[in-house]
Amino acid sequence: MRSKPETQSHTAATEPLSSTSMDPIFPLLRILPFGFLRPPKLRLKLPTLTLPSPMTVYALVLLTYFMVVSGIVYDVIVEPPGIGSTQDRATGSVRPVVFLPGRVNGQYIVEGLSSGFMFVLGGVGVVLMDLALDRNRAKSVKVSYATAGIASVVIAYVMSMLFIRIKIPAYLR
Amino acid sequence: MVGKAEPVNGSVKSGSNQSIPAAMQSPLKKSDLIPNLSLKTLKLKTKQQELLIRVSILCLVYVLAFITRLFSVLRYESMIHEFDPYFNYRTTLFLTEKGFYEFWNWFDSESWYPLGRIIGGTLYPGLMVTAAIIYWLLRFLRFAIHIREVCVLTAPFFASNTTLVAYFFGKEVWDSGAGLVAAALIAICPGYISRSVAGSYDNEGVAIFALLLTFYLFVKAVNTGSLAWALASAFGYFYMVSAWGGYVFIINLIPLYVLVLLITGRYSMRLYVAYNSMYVLGMLLAMQIRFVGFQHVQSGEHMAAMGVFFLLQVFFFLDWVKHLLSDTKLFQAFLRITVTTAIAVGAIALGVGTASGYISPWTGRFYSLLDPTYAKDHIPIIASVSEHQPTAWSSFMFDFHILLFLFPAGLYFCFKRLSDATIFIVMYGLTSIYFAGVMVRLILVATPAVCLISAIAVSATIKNLTLVARAKNKVTQTGFVRGSSSLKGSSKASLDQSQPFQRNGAIALLLGAFYLLSKYATHCTWVTSEAYSSPSIVLAARGAHGNRVIFDDYREAYFWLRKNTPPDAKVMSWWDYGYQITAMGNRTVIVDNNTWNNTHIATVGRAMSSYENEAYEIMRSLDVDYVLVVFGGVTGYSSDDINKFLWMVRIGGGVFPVIKEPDYLVNGEYRVDKGAAPKMLNCLMYKLSYYRFGELTTEYGKPPGYDRARGVEIGNKDIKLEYLEEAFTTSNWIVRIYKVKPPNNRCPYAGNDVPYLPWVPTVLRYHFQAMFHG
């Protein structure tokens, strides 16, 4: 209901002043500054606000979901390193550690992002499977959607299980 | 009626159903009656079959939700867990013993000595009243159950009720299949179990039920536009306000939802009726709770609801004017003026209210949800609670498992089929997932939304797959009857060509889906059993031979306090243990978990971090008789007071600048061994934790005084206490109690250059001294 008055108010403004205007201040403004000032002729157009389509909103939502589930708030507040490092006792060389060990509620930045990516991949896989089943598309497109969807879900699930097993060694034992 | 069975049932069922009337019409002899009756009663109509399946699934889910929460009751005993539930238990006990009016007007002088606490006006009574009602109902039916058993089992009972509400909610948003899946998912979801396990007698156990009930009733009201459902949702909101401080989420989400509906052009009379009734009646009912009071008109957190309320009136007014006016140009002008005036008036009112102080700003607890960095810099007490930490990915994975994949898929289905109800569930899901990312504790609030949306994904996907899998039966039947009335004739023809491949693929995918769901069930049960069923007051560990060793030190210490100290003794400890000491030890405490007075807690923190003589001054001014510390050095228990010590320093230093955190650190590192800071080695907390510990050998092959929780040998082994003496140490040294010695007969304020002020109360005298000392 908001978008329509914006466009129509613009068309109403360009019409001559003889139209019935309920604005009480407008006649005063006509006399006082604009009696001797001449406003320039600009060719401005008010931007028309239209609501985005549901799928655009869905894409934005997916992006937000990816960021939240990767633990971006944790990254901003606790400021962990991108990747941890540990020193090898025998050789003294510094080895990178991807998964923060020992705690459930702790992460490095990269491990958070990669896990978040896996979750979104799994979700997108289920969406692709639905796209393959529902629409009346070309058969080859449906088959490719279906295989992509199934592959995404399988990869996402396997990788997520792998990640959680690395992070929590005592998982499911 | 039977012949027109729905197509999904296929041909088989309709064939057998049609055979029955033929059998019934033949003349029956008496001997034929009994087998025919049993045959008839077994063959139900389709609708009855579906009803039977649904009811049996719901019953099984109800029982499942209850029994999966009983791990700790079976492993240990039926007792209350953690810290907060002990306060709730104590107040419930008071309520059942003394009655409602005593409870509502209760002033407790046993906590926050010497300030006391107005319990009647500073708690959310919903949980206690619910448990008391259940208790009185059972006693009315002559079941003589102790109130503790009712308290322990309240949370699982309400979790089962939540599954029922989730079923109805799912039915409202999508269809009954999604409702059933939602009920099943929420019954075992670890995010919900973590706060509603048996023994966890806390507000959230009841509040999540109230939250989901309020949302369900409101969505039903918006869908039907009926006044009855709207008023019911107001009563659901009242129950939520009485149960938990998280009701602020409801009173902000629902106006946000109404705003989104208005923006997307879904204004309707149903929405108007639903929101107005719910808001007005809900606000009036919420004011009946003393703790909430007039916050609905005075607090900044509740202003969004009021703003949307007025905006809805503006919308209705404009609709009415549009209906009256015939001139559209006139109406457009009128619309512009009204909208600008309304927004201007609203902004001015908000500005005046905030500037004059009538509308209070957002409180720190809720403001830190919008700006997560706020608590870290400004309010160390909020930042110190481990549940308030932001969430890492592994916490999400632990609490949700495959629901994290199904959540975006469910959002996709909701966006495909937008309606008033799906918009609501999408908004609930998104806002709650964001808040769950900010604070670990709020994963609980996100759980119903995630379960519902995932249920939509599961239900829609499985429905599609079963349609494809069953398509073969339909094609063979319609092939005989020349089914031109079947819906997608052309696609069925193309289906015919690759028939076995598609059908097998669909069956394989169905098996895959069931495999994933079974892994979810395994994961949930494992997590419940391993991670979320520990009572926290009783610790368990694996002994040397794999046997289970139980540490019951906390209850041992509280029972000792109860039996061996004078009834008016005052106990000083860190605020974590306050509720337990008052509930089980039955003694007055200085600070407890309510943490309503930061200065009082900072005083205790300052006492714990000072040298013994300064701490003695503070303890004398607070009339402390006993000091209780928790020490994990012998058992390796890592949640002891030495590990929490830096928080005591920070909170104490926040109010009294004489306590500086760098004094206790060495190069920014917190140590207790020989290289520790000298102030650390001589402060009261260190002395009380490690008194006589230097003589104890804790581990084979390590020197005496080896702290197993920190993994180092302590620095100062030769500790002498001048103003305190050891009263009791539990069998595993976890809880240590010290008695404060009375002052000497001469020189009561030795080492102090402030004149003696006898007419000033002791606490104020202490604060004056603090000011003079700087």
Side-chain angles (χ1 to χ4, degrees), chain B residues 507-687:
Chain B
I507 291 180
L509 286 177
L510 271 178
L511 287 174
F514 293 144
Y515 170 75
L516 277 182
L517 288 173
S518 68
K519 293 301 279 182
Y520 170 71
T522 316
H523 166 91
C524 292
T525 319
W526 181 84
V527 166
T528 311
S529 157
E530 294 299 312
Y532 290 142
S533 297
S534 92
S536 302
I537 193 169
V538 171
L539 312 164
R542 295 253 160 244
H545 306 284
N547 55 325
R548 211 163 60 124
V549 178
I550 304 259
F551 299 122
D552 207 359
D553 287 41
Y554 280 102
R555 295 197 294 173
E556 184 186 342
Y558 300 139
F559 197 63
W560 184 91
L561 263 185
R562 195 190 189 104
K563 293 289 178 188
N564 295 297
T565 55
D568 62 348
K570 286 130 194 105
V571 181
M572 180 172 95
S573 70
W574 192 233
W575 58 263
D576 285 355
Y577 317 107
Y579 281 156
Q580 286 180 340
I581 295 175
T582 26
M584 280 193 277
N586 203 21
R587 292 290 174 266
T588 310
V589 288
I590 307 293
V591 288
D592 67 15
N593 307 55
N594 192 28
T595 66
W596 67 270
N597 191 332
N598 194 31
T599 310
H600 218 52
I601 296 181
T603 312
V604 171
R606 180 180 173 174
M608 295 293 193
S609 356
S610 312
Y611 293 121
E612 197 184 342
N613 47 352
E614 297 165 358
Y616 184 65
E617 301 290 331
I618 301 174
M619 289 193 283
R620 288 298 305 154
S621 73
L622 290 172
D623 292 345
V624 173
D625 297 311
Y626 290 90
V627 181
L628 186 145
V629 296
V630 170
F631 172 59
V634 175
T635 47
Y637 177 52
S638 57
S639 301
D640 63 352
D641 280 355
I642 292 283
N643 278 348
K644 291 181 197 161
F645 181 63
L646 276 183
W647 285 111
M648 301 185 198
V649 169
R650 280 177 200 140
I651 294 174
V655 177
F656 303 106
V658 68
I659 305 281
K660 300 183 200 39
E661 190 180 343
D663 287 345
Y664 300 87
L665 303 173
V666 172
N667 293 333
E669 210 186 310
Y670 179 58
R671 297 169 64 169
V672 294
D673 53 3
K674 274 215 167 2
K679 184 134 198 204
M680 178 72 207
L681 290 176
N682 289 304
C683 69
L684 183 72
M685 175 55 69
Y686 188 94
K687 283 186 165 182

Side-chain angles (χ1 to χ4, degrees), chain A residues 5 9 58 62 65 68 77 104-105 107 111 115 119 123 130-131 134 157 160-161 167-168 170-173, chain B residues 315 335-336 372 376 390 392-395 397-398 401 404-405 407-408 412-413 416 433 440 464 519 523 526:
Chain A
S9 68
Y58 177 65
L62 212 56
Y65 176 72
V68 169
I77 293 186
V104 173
N105 196 36
Q107 65 176 37
E111 83 175 88
S115 310
F119 300 146
D130 176 72
L131 282 176
D134 254 357
Y157 177 70
S160 300
M161 285 295 112
K167 187 161 176 86
I168 306 171
Y171 182 65
L172 276 183
R173 229 167 284 149
Chain B
F315 260 78
L335 179 72
R336 266 184 298 140
K376 187 167 81 151
W393 74 270
S394 40
S395 292
M397 185 71 187
F398 225 57
H401 201 244
L404 286 174
F405 303 142
F407 183 72
Y412 163 76
F413 284 108
K416 241 180 33 164
I433 272 273
V440 172
N464 288 343
K519 293 301 279 182
H523 166 91
W526 181 84

Side-chain angles (χ1 to χ4, degrees), chain A residues 1-2 4-6 8-9 12-13 15 19-24 51 53-55 57-58 61-62 64-65 68-79 99 103-108 111-113 115-116 118-124 126-127 129-131 133-136 139 142-143 150 153 156-158 160-161 163-165 167-168 170-173, chain B residues 259 262-265 267 311 315 318-319 322 327-337 339 343 372-373 376 386 389-398 401-413 415-416 418 426 430 433-434 436-438 440 457 460-461 464-465 468 488 491 494 497-498 501-502 509 515-516 519-520 522-523 526-527 530:
Chain A
M1 246 183 114
R2 292 275 176 83
K4 282 184 280 189
E6 296 296 327
Q8 304 215 358
S9 68
E15 285 187 355
S19 64
T20 52
S21 171
M22 289 170 71
D23 195 344
L51 288 176
S53 82
M55 285 307 142
V57 179
Y58 177 65
V61 158
L62 212 56
T64 317
Y65 176 72
V68 169
V69 154
S70 310
I72 199 171
V73 183
Y74 182 91
D75 296 337
V76 165
I77 293 186
V78 177
E79 290 169 16
F99 291 95
R103 292 155 50 195
V104 173
N105 196 36
Q107 65 176 37
Y108 296 126
E111 83 175 88
L113 288 172
S115 310
M118 285 305 150
F119 300 146
V120 171
L121 188 68
V124 164
V126 180
V127 170
M129 275 167 49
D130 176 72
L131 282 176
L133 283 175
D134 254 357
R135 302 299 168 106
N136 288 329
K139 193 166 169 314
K142 278 169 56 162
V143 168
I150 296 169
V153 173
Y157 177 70
V158 167
S160 300
M161 285 295 112
F163 286 169
I164 196 91
R165 249 178 251 277
K167 187 161 176 86
I168 306 171
Y171 182 65
L172 276 183
R173 229 167 284 149
Chain B
L259 198 62
L262 293 179
I263 291 178
T264 54
Y267 170 76
L311 189 66
F315 260 78
L318 288 174
D319 226 20
K322 186 173 185 180
D327 190 354
T328 47
K329 265 209 303 261
L330 203 63
F331 174 68
Q332 294 305 325
F334 178 68
L335 179 72
R336 266 184 298 140
I337 295 172
V339 168
I343 294 179
T373 57
K376 187 167 81 151
S386 68
Q389 304 308 313
T391 323
W393 74 270
S394 40
S395 292
F396 277 122
M397 185 71 187
F398 225 57
H401 201 244
I402 57 166
L403 301 187
L404 286 174
F405 303 142
L406 298 172
F407 183 72
L411 284 179
Y412 163 76
F413 284 108
F415 273 100
K416 241 180 33 164
L418 277 182
V426 164
L430 291 176
I433 272 273
Y434 166 69
V438 172
V440 172
T461 308
N464 288 343
L465 287 176
V468 171
K488 298 179 227 163
S491 69
S494 66
Q497 298 164 3
S498 55
F501 174 70
Q502 285 229 349
L509 286 177
Y515 170 75
L516 277 182
K519 293 301 279 182
Y520 170 71
T522 316
H523 166 91
W526 181 84
V527 166
E530 294 299 312

Side-chain angles (χ1 to χ4, degrees), chain B residues 177-197:
Chain B
L180 286 173
V181 179
L185 289 178
I186 207 173
I188 51 176
C189 189
Y192 185 25
I193 288 186
S194 62
R195 305 290 300 199
S196 69
V197 81

